[in-house]
Amino acid sequence: MDKLQQLPVTTGPQGGVSPEPGVASVERRAFGLPGVPAVLLWLGLAGGAAALFWSGLIVAAAVVAALALVALFGFFIVQPNQASVLTLFGRYVGSERRNGFYWTNPFTVRRRVSLRIRNFNSERLKVNDQMGNPIEIAAVIVWRVVDTARAVFDVEDYAGFVAIQSETALRHLAAQYPYDDHDGLAFSLRGNPDEVAEALGRELATRLRHAGVEVLEARLSHLAYSPEIAGAMLQRQQASAIIAARQQIVQGAVGMVEMALRELSEQGIVQLDEERKAQMVSNLLVVLTSERGTQPVVNAGSLY
């Protein structure tokens, strides 16, 4: 079970859940009245204060006017893809995600939190891969806030938290895989980009859930050997490519020679002893595996 689900919580006002020191916060809806009816009520309160004043009840008019002035600070607007986190005298009372014009307790402190999708492009980090080779790596993280209470109260700065944890996860990921797997038997950073991106996304989701952040996508944006070993590794890659190509050429040449000998024997075109077969195999392999075009020598005399 998730550790965050095992943390104790306490019941707060309005039937919600209130965070305690060291306990993960839980988002809930804040109390809020629709703004237009609240404006009508406020106009009625202001009109009552004016009526009392003209009636000569100065003290009552002053009290009502003061109430109207305080109530005026309870109006707030929530923009699309934003939320307002409300606290009352240092206590979390809820979050308002609904777009529009609202009125709430005028003594609450409201903090805006963006729910829009964001990109974080990490710096190029110089780390060592699983084989100890120094490499340069960077990633693009697509994320958004899904729990405003955790984002505001459980971390000091959720945007900075995303940046630091993303770089930490990227360093840890690079140390778990080699840059390249020359044998093709295991995962590598260069050879398995989809699997690497999935592993990075899982690790970031684990790290960033404490800040109420959801990771939508995580992919490597830069991957290269460090300059001090880039030349040597390029030669190694070229050598591996040449060896692989040579192996394929030799396998094909052996198959062609075998087919030629079998066809000659089955069709009875010519009878060759073991020595002539060996000479023919040698000549065919030279022709088929040579890097340059060979010049044939035509034998105009007897075969033997």
Side-chain angles (χ1 to χ4, degrees), residues 120 122 125 127 161-175 200 203-204 207:
F120 170 71
S122 70
L125 306 177
V127 297
F161 187 81
V162 170
I164 297 299
Q165 292 300 323
S166 297
E167 293 186 357
T168 303
L170 192 57
R171 290 180 182 274
H172 183 257
L173 178 76
L200 179 59
E203 183 163 356
L204 282 173
R207 291 173 178 268

Side-chain angles (χ1 to χ4, degrees), residues 186-200:
F187 286 156
S188 64
L189 297 174
R190 188 183 68 87
N192 304 90
D194 293 335
E195 290 79 2
V196 171
E198 183 178 354
L200 179 59

Side-chain angles (χ1 to χ4, degrees), residues 79-140:
Q79 300 292 343
N81 280 330
Q82 285 191 349
S84 290
V85 179
L86 281 64
T87 56
L88 180 62
F89 303 128
R91 189 175 186 84
Y92 172 61
V93 295
S95 301
E96 184 58 71
R97 287 173 169 263
R98 297 171 297 175
N99 305 330
F101 181 45
Y102 298 97
W103 183 89
T104 189
N105 189 332
F107 295 101
T108 56
V109 177
R110 295 174 285 275
R111 176 178 175 180
R112 294 181 180 178
V113 177
S114 176
L115 305 179
R116 297 183 177 95
I117 297 175
R118 309 187 190 185
N119 284 327
F120 170 71
N121 191 5
S122 70
E123 299 290 337
R124 292 186 181 181
L125 306 177
K126 186 176 181 180
V127 297
N128 293 332
D129 67 354
Q130 188 183 44
M131 306 301 294
N133 299 318
I135 63 174
E136 293 181 349
I137 190 171
V140 173

Side-chain angles (χ1 to χ4, degrees), residues 2 10 16 26 43 59 74 81 126 141 158 188 227 239-240 259 276 300:
D2 189 2
T10 57
V26 179
L43 290 176
V59 176
N81 280 330
K126 186 176 181 180
I141 313 299
Y158 63 89
S188 64
S240 299
M259 180 182 65
R276 297 300 177 182

Side-chain angles (χ1 to χ4, degrees), residues 1-252:
M1 184 181 293
D2 189 2
K3 294 182 179 179
L4 292 179
Q5 297 176 356
Q6 298 177 355
L7 294 174
V9 294
T10 57
T11 303
Q14 303 176 0
V17 180
S18 300
E20 291 185 349
V23 179
S25 303
V26 179
E27 179 183 315
R28 63 176 181 272
R29 177 177 292 184
F31 168 76
L33 296 177
V36 175
V39 167
L40 296 178
L41 293 175
W42 183 86
L43 290 176
L45 188 62
L52 290 173
F53 178 79
W54 290 111
S55 300
L57 302 176
I58 306 300
V59 176
V63 173
V64 175
L67 291 176
L69 180 62
V70 173
L72 186 62
F73 293 97
F75 293 100
F76 66 101
I77 297 176
V78 180
Q79 300 292 343
N81 280 330
Q82 285 191 349
S84 290
V85 179
L86 281 64
T87 56
L88 180 62
F89 303 128
R91 189 175 186 84
Y92 172 61
V93 295
S95 301
E96 184 58 71
R97 287 173 169 263
R98 297 171 297 175
N99 305 330
F101 181 45
Y102 298 97
W103 183 89
T104 189
N105 189 332
F107 295 101
T108 56
V109 177
R110 295 174 285 275
R111 176 178 175 180
R112 294 181 180 178
V113 177
S114 176
L115 305 179
R116 297 183 177 95
I117 297 175
R118 309 187 190 185
N119 284 327
F120 170 71
N121 191 5
S122 70
E123 299 290 337
R124 292 186 181 181
L125 306 177
K126 186 176 181 180
V127 297
N128 293 332
D129 67 354
Q130 188 183 44
M131 306 301 294
N133 299 318
I135 63 174
E136 293 181 349
I137 190 171
V140 173
I141 313 299
V142 182
W143 62 278
R144 65 180 176 184
V145 174
V146 293
D147 192 311
T148 57
R150 289 187 179 185
V152 173
F153 302 116
D154 289 1
V155 294
E156 186 69 25
D157 177 15
Y158 63 89
F161 187 81
V162 170
I164 297 299
Q165 292 300 323
S166 297
E167 293 186 357
T168 303
L170 192 57
R171 290 180 182 274
H172 183 257
L173 178 76
Q176 290 183 321
Y177 298 93
Y179 176 89
D180 202 354
D181 181 41
H182 302 283
D183 298 329
L185 302 177
F187 286 156
S188 64
L189 297 174
R190 188 183 68 87
N192 304 90
D194 293 335
E195 290 79 2
V196 171
E198 183 178 354
L200 179 59
R202 288 196 303 267
E203 183 163 356
L204 282 173
T206 302
R207 291 173 178 268
L208 297 180
R209 65 183 179 184
H210 304 292
V213 170
E214 177 188 14
V215 178
L216 302 178
E217 185 179 6
R219 286 195 174 274
L220 299 183
S221 60
H222 175 76
L223 181 64
Y225 282 114
S226 295
E228 58 267 24
I229 67 167
M233 289 302 174
L234 179 59
Q235 293 179 356
R236 179 178 179 179
Q237 291 177 355
Q238 292 175 344
S240 299
I242 292 174
I243 292 174
R246 283 295 178 186
Q247 290 177 347
Q248 187 173 2
I249 291 173
V250 170
Q251 291 176 357

